[in-house]
Amino acid sequence: MTDIRRIGLRTGVTLNVAQAGDPNAPAVILLHGFPESHRTWREIAPRLQDQFHLIMPDQRGFAGSDLPQDKGEYKTDTLIDDIFALADRLGLEEFTLVGHDWGGAIAWATALRGDPRVTRLVIVNSPHPAVFQKSLIEDADQRAASQYMNAFKVPGFEKVVEKKGFDWFFDTTFARHVDVSKISPQERQQYIADWSQPGAFNAMLNWYRASRVLVPPPGATLPLPDFLLRAFPSIKIPTLVVWGMLDKALLPIQLEGLNELIDDLTVVRLPDVGHFAPWEAPDAVADALRPFLAGEAAATAAAT
């Protein structure tokens, strides 16, 4: 990562942004999820920076970026606006959007806006909003796997974590979703340092608290929301979905029905990889991304 700096946005926040590669190369904005930072892409960047301009922000509420404390600051439209405001500050006329976990949720929502500046979409272990909500109502296993989301929404949960210690959170809640033996002692300390900043954990949890995703309690019977009963808008741009099939939080059911919601879909399944695929299996993820991103580069070159 050749450059890390804080960039103020018209949306009222300043984001900590890592950049790698040639600024004249095709632009790719990569969005991390919970409970991480731009370091989600620490193993991906060296594998792709020779061909692309990689832009990796800490999203609002995380790590080195501003940490608004009001959950109202984390509405989906606001988080999408951050992405376009960052693109404006960097002078990007078009870009590919890559997202993992919550970053993927914002990437899906951004693509659904249909803004022509977003030319391609890459999702890594992050569910399409319609597929996810439907599965939470109809699939008992996915519902059970997602109960932690309700815990994160409980007011004061951050105080529980602060009292027990961030090492406790790392070794319990976080460790349930990842093989922590794959995380170096230095990375572990970086996680804990980021989480330990005043107000940081509350800010991170606000992503869940502001979400409109409904996770019913086990055994409850609920009707499908109205938005799932209507025709859901399709994504028109080429879309690559890369999925670690051993993800304990987001089960393979999230891949079902995507072809009906995306006009141009490619799915790459990684059979022995879990939720944090970008650093669990960086070679496999980079190998999936490179030709997809290069296809856009070739198309852009042909048009100019």
Side-chain angles (χ1 to χ4, degrees):
M1 297 178 184
T2 58
D3 176 68
I4 301 178
R5 57 193 172 99
R6 285 171 55 82
I7 300 176
L9 305 182
R10 55 177 165 76
T11 51
V13 293
T14 297
L15 300 187
N16 188 53
V17 182
Q19 298 184 66
D22 183 353
N24 295 314
V28 183
I29 298 179
L30 300 101
L31 305 177
H32 68 86
F34 181 96
E36 300 203 291
S37 69
H38 71 273
R39 294 193 60 76
T40 294
W41 312 107
R42 62 188 178 272
E43 298 291 344
I44 298 299
R47 290 164 168 82
L48 298 180
Q49 64 186 15
D50 59 329
Q51 291 179 263
F52 308 102
H53 177 204
L54 306 177
I55 301 148
M56 299 159 283
D58 294 343
Q59 297 203 76
R60 70 163 66 201
F62 289 95
S65 291
D66 285 356
L67 310 173
Q69 295 299 293
D70 185 346
K71 75 174 184 179
E73 294 285 331
Y74 296 86
K75 295 177 181 177
T76 298
D77 284 343
T78 301
L79 299 169
I80 294 172
D81 289 343
D82 281 348
I83 306 311
F84 288 115
L86 177 59
D88 289 344
R89 279 297 311 271
L90 296 177
L92 306 181
E93 295 183 0
E94 61 180 34
F95 55 92
T96 294
L97 192 56
V98 180
H100 172 254
D101 188 78
W102 269 115
I106 297 308
W108 282 120
T110 302
L112 285 164
R113 271 197 184 180
D115 192 298
R117 287 174 287 180
V118 182
T119 56
R120 288 197 171 211
L121 175 68
V122 179
I123 298 294
V124 185
N125 284 76
S126 182
H128 185 285
V131 176
F132 190 41
Q133 186 61 83
K134 188 170 186 291
S135 71
L136 288 170
I137 292 174
E138 296 184 344
D139 187 84
D141 290 339
Q142 183 58 69
R143 186 186 295 194
S146 298
Q147 289 302 311
Y148 72 92
M149 296 179 68
N150 287 334
F152 286 177
K153 290 184 176 185
V154 174
F157 181 78
E158 71 281 1
K159 299 297 184 183
V160 174
V161 175
E162 290 168 6
K163 183 176 181 179
K164 289 180 176 290
F166 295 106
D167 286 284
W168 169 84
F169 183 81
F170 187 98
D171 293 330
T172 55
T173 303
F174 189 42
R176 282 198 290 269
H177 298 285
V178 65
D179 179 358
V180 294
S181 69
K182 296 182 179 180
I183 301 176
S184 71
Q186 294 78 15
E187 286 298 332
R188 177 192 174 101
Q189 289 307 310
Q190 186 63 58
Y191 279 114
I192 292 172
D194 289 343
W195 303 344
S196 300
Q197 298 176 88
F201 213 78
N202 181 65
M204 292 161 57
L205 293 174
N206 278 338
W207 281 67
Y208 291 91
R209 292 166 175 163
S211 171
R212 298 176 65 183
V213 173
L214 173 64
V215 183
T221 300
L222 278 80
L224 291 175
D226 288 344
F227 81 90
L228 291 178
L229 300 176
R230 301 189 296 267
F232 203 85
S234 64
I235 291 176
K236 307 298 183 183
I237 57 177
T239 300
L240 169 66
V241 174
V242 180
W243 205 272
M245 299 299 285
L246 298 184
D247 193 329
K248 297 177 181 178
L250 299 167
L251 308 183
I253 193 174
Q254 301 308 324
L255 300 177
E256 296 181 10
L258 287 179
N259 59 318
E260 299 173 7
L261 296 163
I262 302 165
D263 291 356
D264 183 354
L265 172 66
T266 302
V267 177
V268 174
R269 295 170 173 83
L270 306 179
D272 301 317
V273 180
H275 178 71
F276 293 93
W279 50 260
E280 287 185 48
D283 284 332
V285 174
D287 287 347
L289 265 61
R290 191 178 296 107
F292 184 80
L293 300 178
E296 180 192 20
T300 301
T304 55

